[in-house]
Amino acid sequence: MSYDEKKQDGTVSSSDVVKDDRYYANEALVDPEEKESLHRDLSARQISMIALGGAIGTGLIIGSGTALVRGGPLGIFLGYSFVGFVCYLVMVALGEMSAYLPHKKGFPGYATRFVDPAFGFALGWNYVLKYLIVTPNNVNAAGVVIQYWTQKVHIAVWMGTPVGHLADAHLPAVFCINLLGVRVFGELEFWFSSIKVISLIGLLLMGIIIDLGGNPKHDRLGFRYWDHPYGPMGKYLQNQVHNDHLAIFLGFWSTLTNALFAYIGTELIGVTVGEAQAPRKNIPIAIRRTFFRILIFYVGGVFVISLIVPSTDQTLFVANKSKPGAAASPFVVATTLVGIKVLNHIINAAILLFVLSAANSDLYIGTRTLYGLAIQGQAPKVFARVNRMGVPYASLILCTCFCFLVFLNVSSSSAKVFGWFVNLVSTFGAITWMCICYTHIRFMKALKAQGLSRDALPYKAPFQPWGSWFALVATAIITLFKGFDTFIPFTKDTFVTSYIGLPAFLLFYVGYKVYYRTTLIPSDKVDLVTGKREIDEEEERFNQEQEARGPRSRWQKIWEDL
């Protein structure tokens, strides 16, 4: 059978890859053998729960306080709703590519295959940088949460001694969890995410009960905090711009930036596809559940917060004003305002679990992204080494070392460091979203140019092709103007952390392109089949093993379908 015939029926394998200028096929597009690479040990229930609760962390639980102060109750609701819609468009775009070709290189691999190797290189290292920063950010946030209980001990102690703080014992613990393999990681993250989901549902119900008068003061709040002088819109930088309408707009725009940080990380499902069982079946399920996660937890969460916490409350976490020991979460502030005792400490403990769980998943994603670059030849080969459990241990060690960035707290307040990390992470994350959207646009063009219908894909993203274009443009505008407040007045450290990700991405892209002389891959030459047969066969073997186990009991079905 000729290469052209194999390309048509999708049976091209690594041995068939040829150096032919008609196709951009090469050995880097084929996943390594199972014993030399990641193991597909993430079950359907683990994938679904990680997609549902894995990325919920500091952005929603802590950072929403800043958004409420700056944008007001209506501003935060509109901001999170808009960015939530953008996030959904990014996720369905990623889901379409992931379900079609669930390889082990993450979405930087899609960029390399569908756009340009230089584009994949830049995206991959941008994403690695993001997760080198976001993991210590979550550990830092844990220190902020703990300082709610005491400020007598310097925050560096919480980061530096295993005696006083879960987060520090957490660093070696998270390292060990990730080192034990994806089966252990997936099971623990399933339970962490389950606790997060249950806790969030409890917080939402608590907020509704408080708002309706079920509190010690028997005070029915209703929409009181949406009225003057608390809302409906906040006025950000009013003393600097001296214009009420402009201050209201700046307050709303600030919520977009904050919401972007809160939603970033949702794309982690694109990294887990390389270790997912039956990915073509399970990934679309997880993507569809993302919509309900955005609607209920994020949009519903900030709506409840806007009902029970006034935007003028001084104890809300605002990075440039609050003391580090301020009650960092709006949910904690809400219980304090209505006089509920003890519950605020329970909520604070739950929030601590949230951010530590987020650090656990962040370390996993950073490790897998660096591994994906290594097997494509875009990072040192040492990072492609795996142990017998399929863990890229060299990548894991490097990503863990960067967790010590958290000791920036020694010379600056934890609130200020949190602000720096938010700026860096949101920029790297926004670039990732834009790259995913553009990669999906190129993927759709390649399908059309090669006569393949999107209707035949395992998962067809809705609202396309305009959905990816809309998400790309919207994210680009938010990213370009997200650091507007660094100029009012000009602040050097905030400006650098807000925008350094953009020149870094361009440096990666241009440097790789000039050195290797790569070009944009024409749509009719994009390789849509190399490595696909191996994935198909691997999934078929898994399905046969499932059938060989015989019929499952009712409880087994419930457990596996959770």
Side-chain angles (χ1 to χ4, degrees), residues 155-314:
I155 193 169
V157 176
W158 301 128
M159 306 304 172
T161 60
V163 176
H165 174 32
L166 276 171
D168 189 64
H170 177 260
L171 285 178
V174 165
F175 175 79
C176 291
I177 289 171
N178 278 268
L179 191 62
L180 290 174
V182 71
R183 190 184 297 272
V184 174
F185 167 83
E187 194 61 34
L188 288 174
E189 198 57 34
F190 169 81
W191 290 109
F192 280 144
S193 297
S194 299
I195 294 172
K196 287 160 72 173
V197 169
I198 293 171
S199 299
L200 262 180
I201 292 173
L203 290 174
L204 295 179
L205 291 175
M206 179 202 72
I208 294 172
I209 292 170
I210 289 176
D211 182 68
L212 296 178
N215 56 71
K217 296 182 179 180
H218 302 290
D219 183 13
R220 184 183 176 92
L221 299 175
F223 281 84
R224 179 187 306 169
Y225 296 142
W226 282 54
D227 295 329
H228 185 77
Y230 311 107
M233 300 293 290
K235 296 180 180 179
Y236 183 43
L237 299 175
Q238 186 176 23
N239 294 333
Q240 285 78 17
V241 299
H242 307 293
N243 184 303
D244 286 352
H245 297 292
L246 179 58
I248 289 173
F249 174 75
L250 294 179
F252 167 71
W253 194 266
S254 181
T255 66
L256 298 180
T257 302
N258 193 277
L260 184 65
F261 172 73
Y263 284 111
I264 282 171
T266 308
E267 73 283 345
L268 67 86
I269 196 68
V271 180
T272 62
V273 296
E275 296 176 277
Q277 298 172 348
R280 291 205 173 93
K281 172 186 175 184
N282 295 326
I283 296 303
I285 295 173
I287 293 294
R288 292 187 188 101
R289 290 179 180 176
T290 300
F291 172 78
F292 297 102
R293 166 187 163 181
I294 292 171
L295 182 64
I296 296 173
F297 294 146
Y298 284 92
V299 178
V302 297
F303 176 69
V304 169
I305 287 171
S306 72
L307 295 176
I308 59 178
V309 181
S311 61
T312 55
D313 192 280
Q314 295 301 309

Side-chain angles (χ1 to χ4, degrees), residues 545-557 560:
E545 291 172 1
Q546 293 297 103
E547 292 176 3
R549 291 168 55 186
R552 297 173 297 170
S553 68
R554 180 184 302 175
W555 292 111
Q556 285 177 323
K557 291 180 180 179
E560 294 181 8

